[in-house]
Amino acid sequence: MNWLDKWLDRSVEKTTRGLAQRTSRRGFLGKFAGAVIGGAATVPLLPVARSQEAATPAPLEEGDANSCDYWRYCAIDGFLCGCCGGSMNSCPPGTEMSPITWIGTCENPVDGQNYIISYNDCCGKASCGNCLCQRNEGDRPVYNPRVANDLNWCLGTTSAAYHCSTAIVIGAALDD
Amino acid sequence: MNWLDKWLDRSVEKTTRGLAQRTSRRGFLGKFAGAVIGGAATVPLLPVARSQEAATPAPLEEGDANSCDYWRYCAIDGFLCGCCGGSMNSCPPGTEMSPITWIGTCENPVDGQNYIISYNDCCGKASCGNCLCQRNEGDRPVYNPRVANDLNWCLGTTSAAYHCSTAIVIGAALDD
Amino acid sequence: MKKLIFLTLLFASTAFGQIQPEPAGVIQTLPESWPPHWIIVQDGAFFHMNSGKFIVVDADSDDPATRFKGMFNGTFIPQFFQAESRPEMYVTETFYSRGTRGVRTDVLTIWDKQTLSPVAEVVLPPKRASQMPMNYHIQLVDDEKLALVYNFTPATSVSVIDIVNRTFLGEVPTPGCSLVFPMAGRAFASICTDGSMLSVQLDEDGQQASTARTDVFFDANNDPLMEKAAMVDGVAYFPTFLGRMVPVDMRGESLEVGDTWSLLGAGDDGWRPGGLAVTGTDGAGRIYVLMHPDGYEGSHKDPGAEVWVFDPATRQRVDRIALQLPAISIGLTRDDNPLLVATNINLEVDVYDVASGEFQRTLSDIGAETPFLLHGAN
Amino acid sequence: MKKLIFLTLLFASTAFGQIQPEPAGVIQTLPESWPPHWIIVQDGAFFHMNSGKFIVVDADSDDPATRFKGMFNGTFIPQFFQAESRPEMYVTETFYSRGTRGVRTDVLTIWDKQTLSPVAEVVLPPKRASQMPMNYHIQLVDDEKLALVYNFTPATSVSVIDIVNRTFLGEVPTPGCSLVFPMAGRAFASICTDGSMLSVQLDEDGQQASTARTDVFFDANNDPLMEKAAMVDGVAYFPTFLGRMVPVDMRGESLEVGDTWSLLGAGDDGWRPGGLAVTGTDGAGRIYVLMHPDGYEGSHKDPGAEVWVFDPATRQRVDRIALQLPAISIGLTRDDNPLLVATNINLEVDVYDVASGEFQRTLSDIGAETPFLLHGAN
């Protein structure tokens, strides 16, 4: 039994309380991605595709890009920018995209292909407050900051105020 | 039918949402008190007792001093300081009592006597968030500031941040 | 692109798949002119006043995720005004150097409608009125060249700002009178404790040139004018606690109090105006008033059950919209096919089509704690 | 009494009744030494980060109104530490001159336990780690003469403060290592990305005197130490993701890694530690760990269903407390008859009596939005 599911299930009630429940462990941004970190990871090591055959201008996608279940968010943790006036890969008006990001490796169910996702926070305004989404797979403690989602990744921005998080496809990865 | 009652009744559910409901018209401090304002008031004009016979060191009271129904709060509007680490007539630790107050005239059900109540806000910390209590009888628009509860009465304090409200008995009043 | 530096470091020894990376660093912008059914939800964040918000929402949208167009912050129960001639919005807000303590700074922040970014600020005397959100704390006059901000310390005054050059000009006292109502030219009106109104003419430098007072024309105790007036074509329509409507013509050099009429018709006994934001107007000049039945002393801020629509020319009620949930505040979009929006008692925003009177949808999950005021976008 | 001026004005022509007016201007204070069952609820206000709170609550009280003893603010996900030798609490917080924008200022604010007022502040380099609340962001060492604050920019370092004289002394780099764990004397430890720990000795001026690194002693990827250690008598006990317990003795000049033991006994397969605040200790030196069944990769922050109690001397589980609702954080009061407090999945605080293991009450309506951490009062 997955306790987290229970927790999140309860929060689907669209009440203020439900919303509050979704926040408690926020875990800002930053997730574990085996291919990038390398080393002995608990998630499968995903060497990046070198073959031109895999090349496509962009992955075909389907599903609700503002649902926490969407494939790109396999390692996201924060308010989805698509619910905040941005989109899954752009920031809402008046925010600043963090130049320092964390990386996930997510499988696109449409093509079964793994893609490298850069999770860039949008910064400089207070919490968006919508569509809080958290997945802790691959998260590690804060002494391993590149894979720790208890960090606020609004670093290198004019303001460290955290607003929401994007999920930007930056490459394809090949399974072992 | 009293729409406000309906509104407040719903808010008695002890949910975050319920709590939020109780806030919408907060109406900081300041209420109408006929005896003090004088003039043609819609509430009964209550000349203040001049007789020594009415003198008592303090009124006898009964009831829950942290309930919005408590007699002293007939003209209060805000978070009850008794739920915030203060009491009905003292401020919570680390706050500052506003030197500028508004006045109500409330009937004590124990002795049937009317008393003059000074509502002093406690200031300098963010919203206490507990026991929001509002009664609009005698409230008038903000151009009549001494009787307007849409004002923040944290005036003349080091910080205007509003935390909670007290209800201090400062005298007895006689009915007409 | 600064943001790529860290990525480059990470991937220095790692090859990428050969797909085209999506562009990074994209920041959305909004149109300079907003669609007519966008609204601005003013969230006072009553339990967290240092974290107030203005949320731009598409009131036509049935998609809870995409109806949210953007937001900007406003601190410590800010007040708000939109320009018509410029894509600008104005917010007066208060900051303390240590959150709720320390040195106070009041500013008028100018927000750009396309970028939802602060493009300038004017530091004000730290006197702005700390009150519940209301529509006559900030106004623009003189073809939107001057901004006026109401102060309350409890002494009352108005700060005058050259909003074109974004400089503070001075402070005009308004003893015994509150708020700012726009008059023609460089002038404003305030409403006074004694039941009169004050008008103030400003000179070229934004200083007080002359003032005038009307006679006492209302009873501030027994049937006070609500300060939450509806303005149509330069006339302010003040509902009273007991359901009268008092027009004050502000188009001339002096104020002219018009004839009072009643909001109530036959069978309307007991209905009164009430709520936090009680009035609204649409592009056709109709006036909307939030009404509740069974009024009593103290019910003037109770949630309303219906919205009554009046034609100020004929002084007749022309429509009556029953609300699916009682509401504490109403607002209107500013187009010819307006939506009525209402903050309901669950602190969600309900949308009604004015033409049909029908409930359309509830805008919940927009990140608002206490959506006190609703503004149709200009 | 300044406050009487306004009243005097009002009542100038009005006689009072001859009762004794109640005193005005009374501000409550708290005892210098707090009752052992008071707790400090750290509300990160995740949806309103500029309005965080620390709320002092009597966990023994069944009266929802009077259990609230007071509060103070903390801005932008503050971190917290209580002194033992002084009635002081320390909060590191971040302010922007315009709320969420403008000039950043980081401070360590010193709060007095009797007055709940800020008695001093130390301005810090604007580098403090912006992370979820956790217990090893601030620590005191050298008989509480030095305060240490963890920085992350993402370069890691520690700010050193003379907390007696309330002055910033300097910044010590901790490359590759995070957080501050207290060591004996003027020294601290940090835990490192590579699976080792760093120890830093400070000189009289609070500057780095010497450093040492342990060998790599844990696998930071496959079974990492949780940084949320329990400290008992100078030994830090780190639970691992998979349920081992790794002690590190911090009482000497250098760190000594002890023998690892397992939290799991026969029949405990699948149980793992997890949550936001996973560990606690009581006055008897027992260690409390928030546990959930059916663990999996990524479950290390899931809410826990039980709290397991261990005696670190015997390495045995001595108690097992079933929670009435799953919890995300736990804390303990620090007395001999401790209460276990737990932030449940409704974000209320549940209270359990440790001796009986019985649920006592739920502390709701304490004005907290997101009560992330719970601290027993010193």
Side-chain angles (χ1 to χ4, degrees):
Chain A
M1 187 189 138
N2 179 339
W3 287 99
L4 178 62
D5 285 349
K6 252 184 107 177
W7 189 42
L8 288 173
D9 281 352
R10 292 182 57 113
S11 75
V12 172
E13 310 157 23
K14 298 277 179 188
T15 64
T16 305
R17 165 159 302 196
L19 208 64
Q21 285 175 21
R22 275 171 283 174
T23 165
S24 57
R25 293 171 308 134
R26 188 269 191 252
F28 289 86
L29 235 221
K31 285 290 182 173
F32 186 80
V36 178
I37 293 305
T42 56
V43 298
L45 196 67
L46 300 172
V48 167
R50 292 172 189 274
S51 79
Q52 288 294 333
E53 294 93 301
T56 53
L60 296 170
E61 303 181 70
E62 63 185 27
D64 178 0
N66 287 314
S67 161
C68 190
D69 297 329
Y70 195 63
W71 74 277
R72 290 187 184 215
Y73 305 141
C74 75
I76 209 170
D77 220 335
F79 302 109
L80 300 180
C81 288
C83 302
C84 304
S87 69
M88 63 183 175
N89 54 12
S90 67
C91 282
T95 63
E96 183 182 4
M97 193 179 275
S98 171
I100 303 179
T101 76
W102 192 236
I103 301 295
T105 302
C106 302
E107 181 183 325
N108 180 352
V110 173
D111 59 10
Q113 172 79 33
N114 286 288
Y115 292 89
I116 310 285
I117 313 289
S118 168
Y119 299 108
N120 296 63
D121 279 355
C122 303
C123 310
K125 297 189 177 188
S127 299
C128 154
N130 296 316
C131 297
L132 190 62
C133 173
Q134 51 180 349
R135 302 195 199 169
N136 281 318
E137 304 87 6
D139 167 72
R140 292 294 176 267
V142 300
Y143 58 78
N144 208 344
R146 292 178 177 176
V147 285
N149 73 13
D150 280 340
L151 312 190
N152 173 8
W153 280 99
C154 283
L155 296 167
T157 44
T158 309
S159 162
Y162 169 78
H163 186 62
C164 67
S165 301
T166 64
I168 301 176
V169 173
I170 58 168
L174 263 187
D175 288 313
D176 264 326
Chain B
M1 186 190 140
N2 179 341
W3 288 98
L4 179 60
D5 286 350
K6 252 185 110 178
W7 190 42
L8 288 174
D9 281 352
R10 293 181 55 112
S11 76
V12 172
E13 310 158 23
K14 299 274 180 192
T15 64
T16 304
R17 163 158 302 194
L19 207 66
Q21 286 175 20
R22 275 171 281 176
T23 165
S24 57
R25 292 171 309 132
R26 186 260 194 261
F28 290 87
L29 235 220
K31 283 292 181 170
F32 187 80
V36 178
I37 295 304
T42 56
V43 298
L45 196 67
L46 300 173
V48 167
R50 293 172 189 274
S51 80
Q52 289 295 333
E53 294 95 301
T56 53
L60 295 170
E61 303 180 70
E62 62 184 25
D64 177 0
N66 288 314
S67 162
C68 190
D69 297 328
Y70 195 64
W71 74 277
R72 290 187 183 216
Y73 305 139
C74 76
I76 209 170
D77 220 334
F79 303 108
L80 301 180
C81 288
C83 302
C84 304
S87 69
M88 63 183 177
N89 55 12
S90 67
C91 283
T95 64
E96 184 181 4
M97 192 179 276
S98 171
I100 303 179
T101 77
W102 192 238
I103 300 295
T105 303
C106 302
E107 182 184 324
N108 181 352
V110 173
D111 59 11
Q113 173 78 33
N114 286 289
Y115 292 89
I116 311 285
I117 312 288
S118 168
Y119 298 107
N120 297 63
D121 279 354
C122 303
C123 311
K125 296 189 178 190
S127 299
C128 155
N130 296 315
C131 296
L132 190 62
C133 173
Q134 50 180 353
R135 302 195 201 170
N136 281 317
E137 304 88 6
D139 167 72
R140 292 294 176 268
V142 301
Y143 58 78
N144 208 345
R146 290 177 179 179
V147 285
N149 73 13
D150 279 340
L151 312 190
N152 172 8
W153 280 100
C154 284
L155 296 167
T157 44
T158 309
S159 162
Y162 169 78
H163 185 63
C164 66
S165 300
T166 64
I168 301 177
V169 173
I170 58 169
L174 265 189
D175 287 313
D176 265 325
Chain C
M1 302 284 287
K2 189 168 60 153
K3 69 168 291 295
L4 291 179
I5 294 171
F6 187 73
L7 299 180
T8 304
L9 185 70
L10 277 174
F11 295 132
S13 59
T14 315
F16 276 125
Q18 299 301 314
I19 69 162
Q20 187 71 31
E22 292 179 351
V26 176
I27 312 290
Q28 296 296 317
T29 57
L30 301 179
E32 180 175 321
S33 178
W34 289 359
H37 284 180
W38 286 16
I39 62 171
I40 300 145
V41 176
Q42 183 168 351
D43 174 14
F46 196 78
F47 290 78
H48 302 90
M49 295 187 195
N50 278 358
S51 297
K53 294 178 182 178
F54 296 87
I55 305 161
V56 184
V57 179
D58 178 359
D60 273 339
S61 171
D62 283 312
D63 182 346
T66 58
R67 60 170 59 127
F68 187 109
K69 296 302 171 192
M71 60 78 84
F72 53 101
N73 290 112
T75 297
F76 201 55
I77 309 284
Q79 304 289 347
F80 176 80
F81 195 81
Q82 294 175 79
E84 290 185 358
S85 59
R86 291 179 294 268
E88 291 181 353
M89 300 172 288
Y90 308 103
V91 173
T92 51
E93 45 187 345
T94 297
F95 301 99
Y96 284 95
S97 56
R98 295 295 180 267
T100 53
R101 60 188 196 276
V103 179
R104 174 175 174 170
T105 304
D106 284 12
V107 303
L108 182 146
T109 309
I110 303 173
W111 293 87
D112 181 81
K113 291 178 78 169
Q114 290 181 272
T115 63
L116 291 187
S117 290
V119 291
E121 72 173 26
V122 179
V123 175
L124 301 176
K127 298 179 171 183
R128 79 177 186 90
S130 176
Q131 305 185 351
M132 288 290 279
M134 197 177 294
N135 283 327
Y136 297 97
H137 277 260
I138 312 176
Q139 288 288 321
L140 298 185
V141 295
D142 194 19
D143 293 329
E144 304 205 320
K145 291 201 282 286
L146 288 184
L148 306 168
V149 174
Y150 171 53
N151 297 320
F152 179 77
T153 68
T156 50
S157 64
V158 169
S159 288
V160 182
I161 297 107
D162 176 342
I163 197 63
V164 177
N165 295 304
R166 298 167 178 171
T167 54
F168 173 74
L169 295 179
E171 186 184 345
V172 176
T174 58
C177 306
S178 294
L179 301 172
V180 280
F181 298 90
M183 293 179 66
R186 292 169 86 81
F188 69 89
S190 290
I191 186 166
C192 308
T193 311
D194 66 357
S196 70
M197 286 192 80
L198 169 76
S199 59
V200 177
Q201 299 286 334
L202 301 172
D203 65 17
E204 278 309 299
D205 301 324
Q207 310 299 312
Q208 177 179 308
S210 65
T211 69
R213 281 293 268 265
T214 67
D215 293 336
V216 171
F217 66 96
F218 67 95
D219 182 335
N221 280 327
N222 288 316
D223 188 19
L225 266 55
M226 291 185 168
E227 72 279 59
K228 299 155 181 175
M231 286 211 72
V232 178
D233 295 334
V235 179
Y237 293 86
F238 295 93
T240 73
F241 275 33
L242 301 180
R244 297 178 304 123
M245 186 69 106
V246 181
V248 179
D249 191 333
M250 301 189 173
R251 291 171 296 186
E253 282 228 351
S254 58
L255 298 169
E256 201 160 316
V257 180
D259 291 337
T260 295
W261 40 282
S262 178
L263 299 175
L264 309 184
D268 293 337
D269 283 356
W271 284 84
R272 293 190 187 179
L276 179 64
V278 180
T279 67
T281 62
D282 66 17
R286 289 172 295 199
I287 296 172
Y288 297 69
V289 185
L290 184 59
M291 303 288 295
H292 60 273
D294 305 314
Y296 59 95
E297 164 55 34
S299 74
H300 57 284
K301 290 181 196 161
D302 285 6
E306 297 186 2
V307 172
W308 292 3
V309 188
F310 297 90
D311 177 346
T314 64
R315 305 176 176 183
Q316 295 299 307
R317 185 175 68 199
V318 296
D319 203 356
R320 181 173 180 168
I321 300 170
L323 301 178
Q324 61 124 12
L325 268 181
I328 60 167
S329 288
I330 61 169
L332 273 297
T333 66
R334 305 192 180 191
D335 57 323
D336 291 337
N337 189 21
L339 300 178
L340 168 70
V341 288
T343 298
N344 70 29
I345 53 173
N346 292 329
L347 299 180
E348 300 161 328
V349 178
D350 288 333
V351 181
Y352 299 84
D353 177 64
V354 167
S356 67
E358 279 182 11
F359 168 72
Q360 303 284 302
R361 64 188 58 84
T362 296
L363 309 174
S364 55
D365 292 335
I366 53 172
E369 183 171 73
T370 54
F372 286 138
L373 286 192
L374 306 172
H375 309 272
N378 270 348
Chain D
M1 306 284 288
K2 189 167 60 153
K3 70 167 291 294
L4 291 178
I5 294 172
F6 188 74
L7 299 180
T8 305
L9 185 71
L10 277 174
F11 295 133
S13 59
T14 314
F16 275 124
Q18 299 301 312
I19 67 162
Q20 186 71 32
E22 292 178 350
V26 176
I27 311 290
Q28 295 296 317
T29 56
L30 301 180
E32 179 175 320
S33 178
W34 289 359
H37 285 179
W38 287 15
I39 62 170
I40 300 145
V41 176
Q42 182 168 351
D43 174 13
F46 197 78
F47 289 79
H48 301 90
M49 294 187 195
N50 277 358
S51 297
K53 293 177 179 176
F54 295 87
I55 305 162
V56 183
V57 179
D58 178 0
D60 273 340
S61 171
D62 283 313
D63 182 346
T66 57
R67 60 169 61 128
F68 187 109
K69 297 301 170 191
M71 59 79 83
F72 53 102
N73 290 113
T75 297
F76 201 54
I77 309 286
Q79 304 288 346
F80 176 80
F81 196 82
Q82 295 175 77
E84 291 186 358
S85 59
R86 293 179 294 269
E88 291 181 354
M89 299 172 287
Y90 308 103
V91 173
T92 51
E93 45 187 347
T94 296
F95 302 100
Y96 283 94
S97 57
R98 295 295 180 266
T100 52
R101 59 189 197 276
V103 178
R104 174 176 175 170
T105 304
D106 285 13
V107 302
L108 182 148
T109 310
I110 302 172
W111 293 88
D112 181 82
K113 291 179 78 168
Q114 288 182 273
T115 64
L116 291 186
S117 291
V119 291
E121 70 173 26
V122 179
V123 175
L124 302 176
K127 297 179 173 182
R128 77 176 187 92
S130 177
Q131 305 185 350
M132 289 290 279
M134 199 178 291
N135 283 327
Y136 298 96
H137 277 259
I138 312 177
Q139 288 288 322
L140 299 185
V141 296
D142 195 19
D143 294 328
E144 304 203 321
K145 290 201 283 285
L146 288 184
L148 306 169
V149 173
Y150 171 55
N151 298 320
F152 179 77
T153 68
T156 50
S157 65
V158 168
S159 288
V160 181
I161 297 108
D162 175 342
I163 198 64
V164 176
N165 295 305
R166 298 165 178 172
T167 54
F168 173 73
L169 295 179
E171 186 184 346
V172 175
T174 57
C177 305
S178 294
L179 300 172
V180 280
F181 298 89
M183 293 179 66
R186 293 170 85 82
F188 69 89
S190 290
I191 184 166
C192 309
T193 310
D194 66 357
S196 70
M197 288 193 80
L198 169 76
S199 58
V200 177
Q201 300 286 333
L202 302 171
D203 65 17
E204 278 311 297
D205 301 324
Q207 310 300 311
Q208 177 180 307
S210 65
T211 68
R213 281 294 267 267
T214 68
D215 292 335
V216 170
F217 66 96
F218 66 94
D219 181 336
N221 280 328
N222 287 315
D223 188 20
L225 266 55
M226 291 185 167
E227 71 279 59
K228 300 155 181 176
M231 285 210 74
V232 177
D233 296 333
V235 180
Y237 293 85
F238 294 94
T240 73
F241 276 32
L242 299 180
R244 297 179 304 123
M245 186 68 106
V246 181
V248 178
D249 189 334
M250 300 188 175
R251 292 171 295 186
E253 284 228 349
S254 59
L255 298 168
E256 201 160 317
V257 179
D259 291 338
T260 295
W261 41 282
S262 177
L263 299 174
L264 309 184
D268 293 338
D269 283 357
W271 284 83
R272 293 191 188 179
L276 180 64
V278 180
T279 66
T281 61
D282 66 18
R286 288 172 295 198
I287 296 172
Y288 296 69
V289 185
L290 184 59
M291 303 289 295
H292 60 274
D294 305 314
Y296 59 95
E297 164 55 35
S299 74
H300 56 285
K301 290 182 196 161
D302 285 5
E306 298 186 3
V307 173
W308 292 3
V309 188
F310 297 90
D311 177 347
T314 64
R315 304 174 176 182
Q316 295 299 307
R317 185 175 70 199
V318 295
D319 202 357
R320 182 172 178 168
I321 300 171
L323 301 177
Q324 61 125 12
L325 269 180
I328 59 166
S329 287
I330 61 169
L332 273 296
T333 66
R334 304 192 182 192
D335 57 322
D336 290 338
N337 189 22
L339 299 178
L340 167 70
V341 289
T343 299
N344 70 31
I345 53 175
N346 292 328
L347 298 179
E348 301 161 328
V349 178
D350 288 333
V351 181
Y352 299 84
D353 176 63
V354 168
S356 68
E358 280 182 11
F359 168 72
Q360 303 283 302
R361 64 189 57 83
T362 296
L363 309 174
S364 55
D365 292 334
I366 52 173
E369 184 172 72
T370 53
F372 285 139
L373 286 192
L374 305 172
H375 309 273
N378 271 348

